[in-house]
Amino acid sequence: MLRWSYSSVFQLYSLLSLVITRSTLARPLVRQIRSSHEFDRLVEKHATTTGLPVIADFYSDGCGPCRQIAPVFQQLAKETGQDNAVFVKINTQAVPDLAGRFGIRSIPTFIFFHNGVKVDVLNGASGQALQQYISGVVSKSRRDNVLITPETLERYYKEVDPSKTKDDIEKVYFKCADMNKKHNPKRQCHGSAALNLSRGLKKKYNKSVDTTVRFTEEDRKPAADKKQKEEEAKEKGKGGDAASSNKPNLHLATKEELLEEIEKRLEAETEAMEEELGEEDFAEFEHSYSPGDFPERVTIIGGGPAGMSAAIYAARAGLRPVVVAPPLGGQLQGKGVDVENYPGLANVTGPEVVAAMRDQAASFGAVFECEEVIKIDSSVRPFKVHTNSSVIETHAIVVATGAQSNWLNIPGEYEMRGGGVSSCAVCDGAAFYQKDVIVIGGGDTAMEEALVLARTSKSVTVVHRRNEFRASKVLAQRVIEHPSIKIKWNSVVTKIIGEKVVSDTSDDGEADAMDLDQEKMYVTGVLLSNVESGEETVLPTSAVFVAIGHTPATSFLKGIVEFDEEHTGYIKTIGRSTKTSVPGIFAAGDVSDAIYRQAVTSAGSGAAAALDAERWLSEEGLGNEQAEFEAELLAELMADGIDKDSAMGYNVYDDAGGRMEGLKESARVEL
């Protein structure tokens, strides 16, 4: 009978668990671009070696619509497949030269590249439109994946028009090749130019020229898949005997051979992942959520101060919380000015605060699912949290989704979102450098937006319907005294005025790239109405920033929890706790706070929600089911593999080389 020591069983079980966990992970489908040089190399690579289109999402960390569309972009990348398109994200604040090169006026903006050339642009956060544009560029890449060789064209002319000389044929061929100006080092006749040539020749000679596939399906596959196939081919080439001699026969393997093989495979897989992802991507991937066989104990919905605070407290309590939210969310993320009212913080912006909170939560064991929650099923236990692409089973839920921007709902507002109408100065303000802009509102949000815009805009006009601001005295005074900011008291915007502009879908300004169907409305002014006199005036402007407050993002909880009757949209909590009307669901931050709505109070309620959730789990007897299962499995393994004599004679120090002196100091190294 094969005898196993306690440490061997535990070591084998740990390695097997790691293998299973690793096998459920997949490398990210969306690549983060960090420099213009990296982007140029990527576009050139796929224009010359794969033929895949490149779909770029221009965003910023503080952009609300960007966070909303992020999980949709990720899901569409998954559905499209890596052998059909390359998906990248470009932070306009981190790589401003790319945003300037492509004339990004608002975000999110999606630009579609094919054969190294910009072929389409989509402004705004419409998932349905994005899906249509992606399908269009993928179809175009498939359709244009053709090549006409000089030899093929020469044979064609010999058949249909023998009078053509070699020089004549070369002129035709290179005229076609030169229509692809970018990324065509071999001067090939390919793509739409080859298709147009084929159609023209058929019309003239009543016969098409033969075309060949430029990039094979193998060319279009990710590098990792190609490498795997190459290795498999090498193994086959070695022959059955040679291959089998290099690998252990696992069903006959000894304990040592099993452990050695598992470690070898883990090491190879880790190296391959790190090489594919890069150090920074791998670090982020390391904290991503991966579904397990057991329900989660706590799932936190929201990525602002309330959600991050709850994640930190829950993680420190050993609950391994899952944070479900688009990357770096929360209203604090949109604070372009320094955060001055959060104790202990100075000279830091909102995005920096949220990023630090996220890193802290991750360091204690929190994991992140960068998706948007669609609905919660509270009719079953454990709860089911439905996102755009997954379903998470969980015993407890902390809702910390914050609030969404309010809109005016006036003519021109919806039509010109992405064309000068925005709710985020941090997101879109840089696109209106040295231009006149307007901010609508009178609260803290409006003051902060105006101060952010005053740094880069030619002038800022704040439009407020009263004769005094509702904002804090400090912020209001800064706005009033700022030399670049004007104020229109007792006024409201009744209409946003704009004009249509035909989009240029080419980055090199070629006239034939103008798409007359790509007309878009851009802001040119607003119609102001004085609330006292009723007088109407037109105020010219290049952009309108709406900052009139927020509404709690709680629509997905309608019919599940009770809401505050006095404050529409806010979740009702029990007493001074964060408990809702549904046991196991807790509310933190702006979703339940209709009075204070501050980052520091949100963080406090997030901590309270985590503590309430922890106590509730203990009261309900809901512990760590995975750990309990592992303990039972380990006990069974030891019972099957260890007899009484070997169990009594086992000494833990034997596996440390028999050394006992100084073991406390060096145990981590030796074990």
Side-chain angles (χ1 to χ4, degrees), residues 139-150:
S139 298
K140 180 176 176 61
S141 73
R142 292 283 183 181
R143 185 173 60 251
D144 291 354
N145 188 28
V146 296
L147 174 71
I148 296 177
T149 64

Side-chain angles (χ1 to χ4, degrees), residues 21 74 198 216 221 237 317 323 362 411 530 558 583 616 644 658 660:
T21 301
Q74 181 82 12
S198 180
T216 65
K221 288 182 179 179
V323 181
N530 188 287
K558 287 183 179 179
W616 181 83
K644 185 175 179 181
M660 296 177 63

